[in-house]
Amino acid sequence: MRRYEVPRLAFINKLDRMGADPWKVLNQARSKLRHHSAAVQVPIGLEEQFKGLVDLVQLKAYYFLGSNGEKVTAEEVPADMEALVTEKRRELIEMVSEVDDKLAEAFLSDEPISPEDLEAAVRRATVARKFIPVFMGSAFKNKGVQPLLDGVLNYLPCPVEVSNYALDQTKNEEKIALSGSPDGRLVALAFKLEEGRFGQLTYLRIYEGVIKKGEFIVNVNTGKRIKVPRLVRMHSNEMEDIQEGHAGQIVAVFGVDCASGDTFTDGSIKYTMTSMNVPEPVMSLAVQPVSKDSGGQFSKALNRFQKEDPTFRVGLDPESGQTIISGMGELHLDIYVERIRREYKVDATVGKPRVNFRETVTQRAEFDYLHKKQTGGQGQYGRVCGYIEPLPPGSTAKFEFENIIVGQAIPSNFIPAIEKGFREAANSGSLIGHPVENVRVTLTDGASHAVDSSELAFKLAAIYAFRKCYTAARPVILEPVMLVEVKVPTEFQGTVGGDINKRKGIIVGNDQDGDDSIITAHVPLNNMFGYSTSLRSMTQGKGEFTMEYKEHSPVSNDVQMQLVSNYKGSKPAE
């Protein structure tokens, strides 16, 4: 919430449980989370004596009657609580006047502060993100929920008071402030997808303009024009059909084919709410359904998850025939496997996480290969000569093919087949069978036969030529290196730093943020398995970390030898 600058309220729940102590929670929020906050309510009784709340702004006592606390009655403040209420109200006014000048003036000149003035001041300070009002109650019995919802209306900003920015795709993702009013042009974001009884339900948050049933909207990410067949407003799981939705509202539409994070406009502008780049997946798992007959549900689930989440990918491993799911980390994939079980009732077995290694060459190597096969009838004949070399650092392409043959040693109609052969060979290097990147193949000479040469012959010649000269080009394995940011209380800094070094990570930065240390490091993904669990145990559950893909870089010699021997050992077993 700090990162995205979101104004907020806090709610202390479960006041009817044993050992409930809202004031302790409030002090912890101040000391540990550094919240500038104060209570806007005082509970009437605690634990099993919890009956209601006193509102410190309006100075009224609220009781929640009925089996589910649905009847709210307002009364005067109980006489035995007046001293506590006066003290807590004064504390609230003090905290707010520290960040609101208008209230500070009235407070310092000892004027009586009316409920209206205090409410306005709390709202100003909350919207400015300088203060967090704290509400209380017990949500299970609906005690305190109604005043909390009133607090959302009274203290949180309405759409016009928040600045939202869109990215203009025609001007290189330039930021554009949205007005948040219904008069503007439509900009809406699909932020959540759900499988409903009637197909895919898409939740849209409208940032500007109006969306109407039966009108056309355009998906900026795919460029498709779609008609809005049905527009609903959601009340938890109940739907109410509506004709139009305005800026600031959240509506849901049926029958719109899109992915989560897509932006819709009326077609006159090319704005997106989120950036269009999706990070590359860093971790893969092999999954397969336990029983053969649940394959349909299994693939249905994976298709849906791919739509919901652009960072989740599904592919097929051509060698083993397994379904491979890839995502942003262990937990990410665990959650999806769990959802396949829970939502689609399909038990899936999960193979060992597989890291997306790559291979590359480090020096130039020549090839001269003749592929000749004579059988009854037409034979095969193709000869290719040339060299492979690493691409210069910083080049965007991962594979380049160049033909510099002078004359017609190989007829030009065979050149595409040769390129195809080299590309196919580069799909799996001979070290550990992962794709080869950053390599340029240059064809300098060759020979063909008038009868026996064919596209197949040259394609095979290219594949064998690549495999033959690959080892001479000193190949190395590249592994994904992650940019890891760990945030831990300062007392655990040494332990966590030592653990990162053990995982062959390089610490590149260490900042302080209040009582926390933020350690930035580059760590090989292969050494990050199980990190969330060990970070929790090292920091008593107080540490948190984020990681994103940084680059592929060469592994050390000992790791390379180990990976190669593992790969060779597993081949005959398959």
Side-chain angles (χ1 to χ4, degrees):
M1 284 179 147
R2 272 196 197 118
R3 182 187 301 161
Y4 291 111
E5 302 183 340
V6 183
R8 50 207 181 269
L9 316 174
F11 179 71
I12 300 174
N13 194 7
K14 304 186 180 177
L15 291 194
D16 53 354
R17 295 278 185 93
M18 271 182 71
D21 184 352
W23 310 115
K24 184 173 146 200
V25 177
L26 182 57
N27 287 330
Q28 281 180 335
R30 286 176 189 161
S31 62
K32 299 211 165 153
L33 301 174
R34 307 218 163 284
H35 282 177
H36 186 78
S37 55
V40 289
Q41 296 172 333
V42 174
I44 303 171
L46 280 174
E47 301 182 3
E48 57 264 26
Q49 259 80 56
F50 175 60
K51 294 189 194 68
L53 299 160
V54 175
D55 184 335
L56 296 178
V57 179
Q58 305 293 346
L59 286 176
K60 283 217 164 63
Y62 291 111
Y63 295 94
F64 304 93
L65 310 170
S67 56
N68 288 326
E70 66 276 5
K71 298 191 187 73
V72 184
T73 58
E75 291 176 25
E76 292 305 307
V77 178
D80 59 340
M81 287 185 69
E82 274 176 2
L84 175 70
V85 168
T86 315
E87 177 206 333
K88 291 294 178 190
R89 186 170 200 248
R90 186 177 173 83
E91 187 184 303
L92 169 67
I93 294 170
E94 268 176 36
M95 288 299 258
V96 178
S97 49
E98 275 178 38
V99 291
D100 187 82
D101 301 338
K102 208 165 158 191
L103 189 72
E105 272 176 42
F107 176 60
L108 293 170
S109 55
D110 264 345
E111 293 171 18
I113 289 167
S114 72
E116 290 72 32
D117 292 345
L118 182 52
E119 188 175 299
V122 172
R123 180 183 175 88
R124 282 194 301 271
T126 308
V127 171
R129 301 192 314 281
K130 292 177 179 165
F131 176 73
I132 300 174
V134 176
F135 292 78
M136 320 185 167
S138 164
F140 173 57
K141 295 279 194 314
N142 273 329
K143 294 184 177 178
V145 174
Q146 298 90 336
L148 172 68
L149 292 175
D150 293 341
V152 170
L153 289 176
N154 295 339
Y155 301 134
L156 290 182
C158 82
V160 188
E161 290 173 301
V162 192
S163 38
N164 288 309
Y165 295 96
L167 307 169
D168 191 342
Q169 295 302 328
T170 54
K171 295 187 184 152
N172 202 7
E173 300 214 340
E174 182 190 314
K175 267 189 158 188
I176 289 183
L178 296 175
S179 66
S181 83
D183 310 331
R185 292 177 293 191
L186 173 70
V187 179
L189 174 73
F191 66 92
K192 174 184 159 92
L193 307 181
E194 205 176 73
E195 276 292 316
R197 294 192 300 273
F198 313 108
Q200 180 179 306
L201 186 64
T202 307
Y203 285 82
L204 295 176
R205 157 88 149 91
I206 307 171
Y207 284 93
E208 189 173 300
V210 178
I211 190 166
K212 291 185 179 161
K213 183 179 168 179
E215 282 195 352
F216 283 95
I217 54 175
V218 174
N219 182 338
V220 180
N221 299 50
T222 61
K224 282 187 186 155
R225 210 162 155 256
I226 307 158
K227 190 174 182 181
V228 180
R230 185 178 169 200
L231 197 62
V232 294
R233 186 182 292 133
M234 302 297 293
H235 302 273
S236 73
N237 57 358
E238 289 170 20
M239 298 168 199
E240 173 197 339
D241 275 283
I242 52 174
Q243 292 305 311
E244 57 179 44
H246 294 265
Q249 292 185 333
I250 289 176
V251 295
V253 290
F254 274 107
V256 171
D257 185 32
C258 70
S260 162
D262 283 0
T263 308
F264 291 95
T265 66
D266 55 7
S268 60
I269 40 180
K270 282 200 82 165
Y271 291 174
T272 60
M273 289 309 294
T274 51
S275 194
M276 307 260 281
N277 63 343
V278 174
E280 279 298 306
V282 293
M283 187 173 285
S284 308
L285 288 176
V287 286
Q288 58 194 63
V290 175
S291 65
K292 286 277 184 285
D293 49 358
S294 52
Q297 284 290 83
F298 179 69
S299 53
K300 194 170 155 190
L302 293 182
N303 278 341
R304 179 181 149 212
F305 296 154
Q306 256 180 304
K307 265 194 195 158
E308 274 182 26
D309 180 354
T311 58
F312 176 77
R313 314 266 173 89
V314 180
L316 218 89
D317 182 359
E319 285 173 26
S320 60
Q322 287 173 312
T323 304
I324 306 286
I325 55 172
S326 318
M328 303 314 297
E330 262 177 297
L331 182 66
H332 187 199
L333 296 176
D334 283 349
I335 287 171
Y336 279 118
V337 173
E338 184 51 41
R339 283 185 61 189
I340 292 175
R341 281 194 195 121
R342 217 180 40 233
E343 294 174 25
Y344 287 87
K345 310 280 184 285
V346 175
D347 260 339
T349 52
V350 179
K352 185 186 173 307
R354 177 176 150 166
V355 174
N356 296 332
F357 289 106
R358 294 284 180 268
E359 299 182 24
T360 189
V361 295
T362 54
Q363 67 181 35
R364 178 171 156 162
E366 311 279 335
F367 60 83
D368 177 349
Y369 187 83
L370 170 64
H371 173 68
K372 192 159 93 174
K373 206 170 177 190
Q374 201 61 50
T375 51
Q378 187 186 359
Q380 289 178 10
Y381 184 96
R383 181 176 174 201
V384 287
C385 312
Y387 56 88
I388 64 172
E389 63 183 350
L391 282 167
S395 66
T396 49
K398 295 183 174 173
F399 177 91
E400 277 183 20
F401 175 78
E402 210 174 335
N403 171 24
I404 54 170
I405 296 179
V406 183
Q408 282 283 323
I410 299 176
S412 53
N413 57 328
F414 292 141
I415 301 295
I418 295 174
E419 180 178 350
K420 200 172 164 195
F422 279 121
R423 277 188 190 275
E424 208 168 288
N427 268 341
S428 71
S430 54
L431 288 178
I432 53 166
H434 281 259
V436 183
E437 279 186 358
N438 295 354
V439 59
R440 178 193 282 142
V441 179
T442 309
L443 194 61
T444 55
D445 197 6
S448 65
H449 186 280
V451 179
D452 287 356
S453 284
S454 64
E455 286 192 354
L456 176 68
F458 274 112
K459 185 177 154 186
L460 291 173
I463 291 176
Y464 293 131
F466 186 86
R467 288 190 189 154
K468 205 168 172 192
C469 72
Y470 185 62
T471 39
R474 297 253 315 272
V476 291
I477 297 173
L478 303 175
E479 65 180 344
V481 173
M482 309 303 286
L483 175 66
V484 180
E485 195 177 88
V486 191
K487 189 174 178 184
V488 293
T490 307
E491 67 254 37
F492 303 113
Q493 188 184 338
T495 327
V496 172
D499 179 71
I500 287 175
N501 289 332
K502 256 199 331 229
R503 294 173 187 268
K504 297 190 181 154
I506 301 161
I507 294 176
V508 290
N510 196 339
D511 295 323
Q512 285 299 111
D513 173 16
D515 294 347
D516 291 336
S517 287
I518 295 175
I519 302 170
T520 318
H522 299 160
V523 192
L525 175 68
N526 213 20
N527 305 338
M528 286 295 287
F529 288 122
Y531 187 62
S532 45
T533 320
S534 56
L535 180 67
R536 276 205 294 272
S537 56
M538 278 186 292
T539 59
Q540 302 171 4
K542 294 176 189 165
E544 50 180 61
F545 79 103
T546 58
M547 65 174 181
E548 58 183 79
Y549 169 73
K550 185 175 180 289
E551 62 191 0
H552 270 79
S553 63
V555 300
S556 55
N557 269 341
D558 54 328
V559 176
Q560 174 147 337
M561 285 162 70
Q562 191 189 343
L563 286 168
V564 171
S565 66
N566 286 355
Y567 174 68
K568 294 215 164 96
S570 70
K571 275 206 97 165
E574 282 176 13

